[in-house]
Amino acid sequence: MAKLLIVEDDESVRTLAARALERAGHIVDVACDGAQGLDCIHAEKGVYDLVVSDIRMPEMDGIEMAQLAARSFPGLPILLMTGYADQRERAEELDAIIIDVVQKPFTLADIRDRVSLALARTGQSAAAFAGAA
């Protein structure tokens, strides 16, 4: 079990991902754009095992959010999602900040697997979260 933040402007994708990850046993917070996601990150003092964010969103995109979050909370694990090839290319410049980019559309199994892999890569777990609290 991990504490996750899903940042996605499309309500159906946000709800689908959150439900799939909650059913996998994770604690999930949600935000509808990068600005709200950044507010959540700051409110929780960066204590998320993983932030899963869309890249293309109004107000503040996922790349800007990732950059600002990394300045305040270096090492915060971030997994980006996109359905646009040009956005994926922009994310390649963030190798030091993000773990990976998930291609949309994805299935419930895909998002659960990618989150599990990201958590395993970072060594993040509920135990690490409990120790940080």
Side-chain angles (χ1 to χ4, degrees), residues 92-106:
E92 288 174 4
E93 301 169 11
L94 301 175
D95 283 344
I97 297 173
I98 65 164
I99 296 169
D100 200 2
V101 179
V102 177
Q103 190 67 38
K104 289 163 65 176
F106 48 76

Side-chain angles (χ1 to χ4, degrees), residues 22-105:
E22 286 170 343
R23 286 186 182 132
H26 301 296
I27 298 166
V28 180
D29 292 338
V30 295
C32 62
D33 61 41
Q36 188 180 48
L38 192 60
D39 288 345
C40 290
I41 292 167
H42 282 286
E44 293 294 321
K45 298 177 177 46
V47 184
Y48 282 105
D49 293 308
L50 182 65
V51 175
V52 181
S53 177
D54 190 17
I55 293 177
R56 194 174 202 174
M57 296 180 288
E59 179 116 13
M60 178 187 296
D61 71 14
I63 290 175
E64 183 180 358
M65 184 201 70
Q67 291 169 327
L68 293 170
R71 282 188 207 138
S72 298
F73 305 101
L76 176 66
I78 300 171
L79 181 67
L80 294 176
M81 308 177 288
T82 189
Y84 300 93
D86 63 324
Q87 298 301 314
R88 189 178 182 94
E89 290 171 13
R90 281 183 61 218
E92 288 174 4
E93 301 169 11
L94 301 175
D95 283 344
I97 297 173
I98 65 164
I99 296 169
D100 200 2
V101 179
V102 177
Q103 190 67 38
K104 289 163 65 176

